[in-house]
Each structure stands twice: as C-alpha cells, then as structure tokens.
Amino acid sequence: MHTASPGSPLARKPLTVLVLVASVLVLLFGGAGPALAHTALSGSDPADGSVLETPPRQVTLTFTESVSFPDHALRVLSPANERVNPRPAQHADGKENTARVELSDALPQGTYTVAWRMISADGHPISGAFTFSIGKPSGTAVTVATGSPDDTAVGRLYGFFRYVAYSGLALLVGAAAFILVCWPAAAVLRPVRRLLVVGWAALAVATVALLLLRGAYETAGPLTSAFDLSQLGRTATKKPGVALTARLVLLLAAAAVLWWHPAVRPAREDDGAQLPDFGVRLRLAGAVFALGLAFTWATAEHASAGPQVPLAVPVAALHLVSMGVWLGGLITLVIALRDRGPGGRAVPAAAVGLFSTLAFRAVAVLVGTGVYQSWRQVGSWEALVTTTYGKTLVVKVAAVVLVLYVASYSRRWTARLLHEPAPAEEVQEAPVTEAVRVAQLVGASGPPEAPGGSSGPDAPAEAEAGGGTGPSPVEERERYRRSLRRTVAAEAVLGVVVLAITTLLTGTQPSRAAAAESASVAVGQEPQAKVVTIPFDMGTANHRGQVQITLAPGRVGENTVEAVVFSGDGGFATVPELRLTLTQRDLGIGPLDAKLKNQKGYWATYDLRLPMPGEWTLDVTVRTTEIDQVTVHGTVRIT
C-alpha cells in the first residue's frame, strides 16, 4: 500500500474523485429545466371556446402522437366545479393518439372546463385545459393550474435524479471501459475502484428513486404518494417502469459479477500483489451490459417516439454508450495519471495510446449518431435558431468542437509519450503479449518500439548513454505526462459540459414536436366561427339588405350554419325562404345544400359536413316576396 503525508498529492486523491463527481452533478443540476414532451394537443371536440346549442354526449381530444392515461387523466368540470364525466378516459375508436370521456345526461347551461394530463410516448407528462359552453357562456368556479407539469416538488426531484442517473452511467461505463480495454492494472488503484463504485451507486440510487417517484410524477400527486405500493405496481407495468426495473436488474447482476468473478477478486486486494487478468468473455459481457443499460433509456424517452423508431432506438443507445466511454474514460484517465499503479508504476504509455484510440472512435460514433438524432429531432435549418431545442443543440455542437480541439493536443502529447523510450518498470508491468492482445480489441497496434528499434528494459539506459546537455529521456517523459494530464483534465471538464447539455436536450421538446404544437396553437387561435356578410337587393328602390352567414367552427368536418337577414336600416328582416349551397370549384365538389330551416327569426342547420379545406363559394337565394327572389354569392375559407 502507498502511504502519504497530509497535504501530499496522494492524500488529496479522494478529494479529487469527489470534486470530479460533484462537478458532473452540479453542472447537470444547474442546467436543469422543465422537461417538454414530444406530444401536443392538435384538436378537440367540442372545440376550445365553442358555444353549443345542445349538450354533447362526449369530449374527445386528439394529440399529435400516442398518449397513455394516468389516474384522472381527463376531467370535465361543470360551472359549479363538479365532475360530469363518470367514467375514466379511453382511446376513441382504438386510436392511441386520442382520449375520450362520456358525459352525464341533462347537463345544464353554462361554461364547462376540460382539464387533462396525459403521458406522451416518450414518457413525459403533458397537461392543459380549455372551456366550452352549452347554451351561453357563464362564470365558473373551476381553477386549473397553468404551470409546467414538472414545476412541482415531485417534478423537480424527478428531474434531479434523471441527471444523477446520466452522470452515474458515464462514470460507470467509462471507468469499466478504461479498465477492461486499456489498462487492467488500474483495477487495483483505489481511486479508480472508488470511481467505479460511485458510478454504480449513483446510477442504482437514482434508478430506485425514479421508480418510486414515477407514479407521483405522472399523476401530479404529492411526494408521499411515492410510497404507495398500489401505484408502484401500476408504474412497474408501464413502459417507463419496465425500463427502470430492467436497469435495476442489470445493475444488480453487474454487482454480483464484479464481486464473485475470479478475475475481479484480485482487484479488491489492497497490496496489489496480483494483477487482474480480464478475458475476452468478460470484456464482451461488459459491452453487452453497457448497451443494455443504454437501451433502458432509449426505449423509454425521445427515441421511442416520432419517426423511424426502429432505427432511432439503437442509434440512441450507441450515442449513450459512446458518451460514457469517452467522458467517463477521460475522468478515469485523469485520476490514473495522478496516481501510481501497482508497485508505484505510472500509467504505461501503451495504455494511454489505447485509450486515445478508443476515445477517438467513441467520439466518431458520438458525432455520427448525433448528426442522425439532430436531423430526426430538428427537421429543418430554420428550427436551429427558432426553437429551444435547436438553440441548445447549436450550443452543444460548439462545445463538442471545442472538446475536439483540446483533444487534438491530448493526442499530440500521447503520440510523443508513445515514441519516447519506456522506463523499465512500465515495460515489465505491461508485457508485449498482453498489450498486443488488448490492442486488438480496439484495432490499435501494440506498444511502439523505442527509437533505434529498441523496446526492451535497457532502452532508457541506452538513451541516457548518448550524452548531451538536454533533459534526460525520463525527464522528457515526465514533462509529456504533465502536459497530458493538463489537456486531459481540460477535455474532461468540457466533456462534463457536453454531458450537461446532452441531458438538458433529453428533457427539451424536439423542434419537430414544437412545430406541430405551434401549428395546433395556430389552429386554436383561429376564430371559432367564420362569418360572411353578403348584400342583396330587396326588390324596392334604394333598399338593399344583407345576409349574415355564420359557420362554426368553419373547419373540415361537421359545422353549424346560422343565417340572419338584415333590412336596409340594419334591423332584422323576415323572409319566406332562404336557401344556401356551397361549392368547392377547385376540386369539383358541390353544390352541397345546407338545408337551412326557419328557426323563427333566423335560419339554421346543425349538421353540415364539409369534406375538404380551401375556398368555398356560397350561393344564397333570398325570397323576398311570394314571387320575388334574388341569388347572391360570397366566399369563405374552410381550414
């Protein structure tokens, strides 16, 4: 075992580990924002703000993507704040992007409030409310929360543990990859083992917390409901709960392997007398384990909704694994460069070279999968500067470019270190056969030969024997190590920033969904009725009347039509007959007879169905007397 005096670098290593881990959590939590889901409300029946002549039998909501229902997902409240839908919501006609509730009979006049909270396909809750009236609008005693679904104690706590889980994944996967692929002897370093345990523990604790909080998060329940066993049982049967449970099982299985596997057992010895020897099977099992963990995210978040899901899910999993290998491996390398291996040996140059190759390939996979995910989630160049997701993505790209710039210096110092003659203890610690076997796993060559073709233990001595007034090869090598430590530390810090931005993106509404929601809002902000006024000749000199025609909602589908006739002085006029037909000339549809009926003061129909959008021509025939009539024309745009 190594001993160190207080204040020495060795004594400060536990603090270094804690600072690096804390920096991940602080940056992630500092960038936390409310999660925004893929799905948006695209329509409702009755429409928002509509006034109905008769009570509807049901309320139907339509969303841009599939939704699921937590408890009390859809409530219809009377003006007196009484619930008027006796049964829970169901999908309308089997369509997974709809929600429908049946209403009670004999609803009184007044304004009704529809409040809803759904779970989108990517696992995020969405909520909202709107009103409609029966007969005429009225006051209402209903108060509906208008804040973000995540703007609650449970929502903020759930978001925090999501970020803890991401940081734990990076530390666990990165440390394991560094040990299994680059330098197995690092497993006997206490700070590296501590980093591995911290990553596993952070991910395990966060997973348990997310599983407990999931039910309360979906239903906007109080924090105490996290311990409701019946709610926990319902959570475990849904997609996010299944993914969290699978993640927990994988973590427990990995802990059992790490504890009982004979190759790992020597790494738990304090004296480091026996170095671990990891076989190919254990390395392959580690790769499968990392991919399995990543799939528990990919199958339950953004990749599981939207276009090309069968391709997006494995791409998202590769993106996460590559992020963990690169960032977690960087943090592990920083710690290993500050420590000494078994017997006081430094990290061998071959191990640094292997990690350089591994990190380069991980970053290449990150960039490739990131480009695909960006195209899938953004959808257009304009969205990069007009949506929150696009702007955040631009910041991430800039951070990645900066990381790659710093990484180029790390690779430069690594190359110099590899071409310097290795001290005897490094060569003895990492035999050529083992280095070549490890190098084959990542496609790199074995340890490079020293200048002059010498790669044996005597190479440093031969270099020193050459004479000269410059620094010795050992001093040059130490200078390269110090420079490498600085650039790798800077790369790790920037990598943490990239991870923070990546985690923030997973909780931000993608640009495609934002565009769909904006379109839905634009539809909702359109007038809930189209009004057309057409003048006509009343048959007497200098007397011109008007026909005012109102179509509600003025969109494709079923519409209500009301027509009122005004005399020349602006007063109401009665006529013996009023006919209305509609024609879509561009598509050759019509004329469609509205079949208006006299309602004693105005003419109306409540079931006119318009099949297509566009500009429709209104042909209105007004009979002013028993023998006189006039036909006039107007247009209306149906959306």
Side-chain angles (χ1 to χ4, degrees):
M1 295 178 60
H2 303 298
T3 58
S5 60
S8 69
L10 288 177
R12 292 195 299 268
K13 284 163 194 159
L15 179 61
T16 302
V17 176
L18 293 178
V19 168
L20 284 170
V21 174
S23 66
V24 176
L25 300 179
V26 168
L27 280 173
L28 290 177
F29 188 57
L36 298 172
H38 263 111
T39 309
L41 181 67
S42 60
S44 64
D45 183 19
D48 183 15
S50 61
V51 180
L52 309 178
E53 293 292 333
T54 58
R57 299 176 58 186
Q58 57 199 15
V59 171
T60 304
L61 307 184
T62 304
F63 297 88
T64 56
E65 293 179 1
S66 60
V67 293
S68 58
F69 310 133
D71 294 340
H72 311 297
L74 180 53
R75 297 175 299 146
V76 183
L77 306 172
S78 70
N81 200 19
E82 296 177 348
R83 188 168 178 172
V84 296
N85 58 304
R87 285 175 289 278
Q90 301 291 334
H91 290 302
D93 302 324
K95 298 178 181 178
E96 294 188 353
N97 67 327
T98 62
R100 174 179 290 173
V101 290
E102 296 182 357
L103 303 182
S104 303
D105 297 329
L107 296 179
Q109 289 189 345
T111 297
Y112 289 76
T113 302
V114 180
W116 51 271
R117 183 182 179 93
M118 307 290 169
I119 306 301
S120 65
D122 56 8
H124 295 302
I126 54 175
S127 62
F130 65 90
T131 62
F132 69 91
S133 301
I134 300 174
K136 59 180 180 179
S138 69
T140 178
V142 178
T143 301
V144 179
T146 59
S148 166
D150 291 335
D151 194 18
T152 63
V154 172
R156 287 188 289 269
L157 195 59
Y158 188 88
F160 170 74
F161 280 112
R162 284 181 66 247
Y163 301 148
V164 174
Y166 272 107
S167 59
L169 176 71
L171 295 177
L172 178 60
V173 171
F178 186 86
I179 293 171
L180 291 173
V181 178
C182 302
W183 192 32
V188 303
L189 296 180
R190 183 170 293 179
V192 173
R193 295 204 310 269
R194 186 179 294 117
L195 186 68
L196 197 65
V197 171
V198 167
W200 184 93
L203 185 52
V205 170
T207 301
V208 172
L210 291 172
L211 190 59
L212 291 174
L213 292 170
R214 183 67 196 184
Y217 177 61
E218 290 183 351
T219 61
L223 187 59
T224 54
S225 65
F227 302 98
D228 185 344
L229 295 181
S230 62
Q231 182 171 261
L232 181 62
R234 291 191 296 271
T235 298
T237 61
K238 299 177 181 179
K239 184 170 66 173
V242 171
L244 290 170
T245 303
R247 188 183 306 168
L248 195 57
V249 170
L250 285 172
L251 289 171
L252 293 176
V257 170
L258 290 176
W259 184 259
W260 294 108
H261 197 282
V264 183
R265 200 172 298 147
R268 299 199 301 269
E269 301 294 333
D270 291 338
D271 56 8
Q274 183 181 1
L275 297 179
D277 182 18
F278 303 115
V280 174
R281 289 184 179 180
L282 188 59
R283 293 186 176 97
L284 290 177
V288 172
F289 166 72
L291 282 171
L293 284 179
F295 267 98
T296 64
W297 269 278
T299 56
E301 295 200 349
H302 280 173
S304 64
Q308 302 180 349
V309 171
L311 177 61
V313 168
V315 167
L318 285 175
H319 193 80
L320 280 174
V321 171
S322 301
M323 176 273 297
V325 169
W326 167 61
L327 179 55
L330 276 177
I331 295 175
T332 307
L333 180 60
V334 170
I335 292 173
L337 287 171
R338 293 176 59 87
D339 206 326
R340 289 280 174 173
R345 302 182 184 95
V347 181
V352 179
L354 285 173
F355 178 75
S356 178
T357 301
L358 182 65
F360 178 80
R361 295 186 176 183
V363 171
V365 174
L366 268 175
V367 172
T369 55
V371 168
Y372 168 75
Q373 289 181 314
S374 301
W375 168 82
R376 180 174 177 268
Q377 304 290 14
V378 175
S380 67
W381 292 105
E382 181 183 4
L384 287 173
V385 295
T386 58
T387 64
T388 301
Y389 189 95
K391 294 175 183 176
T392 307
L393 183 62
V394 170
V395 175
K396 178 183 175 180
V397 170
V400 169
V401 170
L402 184 58
V403 169
L404 295 178
Y405 176 75
V406 176
S408 66
Y409 283 91
S410 298
R411 290 179 62 83
R412 183 181 306 175
W413 291 118
T414 299
R416 293 183 179 181
L417 191 64
L418 286 172
H419 287 85
E420 280 294 312
E425 69 264 13
E426 287 190 14
V427 177
Q428 293 171 2
E429 176 196 352
V432 173
T433 55
E434 171 64 16
V436 171
R437 182 164 62 88
V438 174
Q440 290 173 347
L441 295 174
V442 294
S445 61
E449 293 185 355
S454 175
S455 60
D458 297 332
E462 292 175 7
E464 290 186 11
T469 58
S472 67
V474 173
E475 292 173 338
E476 281 291 303
R477 198 173 185 80
E478 185 58 32
R479 184 173 71 87
Y480 293 158
R481 286 183 179 277
R482 287 196 300 268
S483 300
L484 181 62
R485 280 198 297 267
R486 288 193 292 267
T487 56
V488 169
E491 191 178 349
V493 170
L494 291 173
V496 170
V497 175
V498 173
L499 177 60
I501 300 172
T502 301
T503 310
L504 186 61
L505 279 173
T506 64
T508 304
Q509 186 178 42
S511 300
R512 288 181 184 269
E517 184 176 17
S518 298
S520 301
V521 170
V523 170
Q525 290 177 343
E526 289 182 356
Q528 295 301 315
K530 303 294 177 63
V531 180
V532 180
T533 301
I534 306 174
F536 70 95
D537 189 349
M538 298 191 70
T540 58
N542 300 322
H543 283 76
R544 292 182 62 83
Q546 290 181 329
V547 179
Q548 179 179 289
I549 300 173
T550 303
L551 290 91
R555 295 198 291 267
V556 170
E558 191 171 281
N559 284 262
T560 296
V561 182
E562 295 181 350
V564 180
V565 180
F566 295 96
S567 61
D569 57 6
F572 289 104
T574 59
V575 294
E577 185 180 3
L578 185 66
R579 294 194 305 272
L580 169 65
T581 60
L582 296 91
T583 305
Q584 229 287 11
R585 302 190 187 281
D586 293 339
L587 300 177
I589 302 175
L592 305 180
D593 189 354
K595 299 180 180 179
L596 299 177
K597 295 181 179 179
N598 191 347
Q599 303 294 330
K600 298 182 179 180
Y602 65 97
W603 297 75
T605 185
Y606 300 102
D607 56 0
L608 174 65
R609 183 169 293 276
L610 299 177
M612 298 295 293
E615 187 174 274
W616 287 73
T617 300
L618 307 180
D619 298 315
V620 184
T621 299
V622 184
R623 186 179 295 277
T624 55
T625 66
E626 292 298 329
I627 59 173
D628 296 320
Q629 68 178 32
V630 60
T631 300
V632 291
H633 312 282
T635 59
V636 62
R637 177 160 293 278
I638 301 300
T639 57

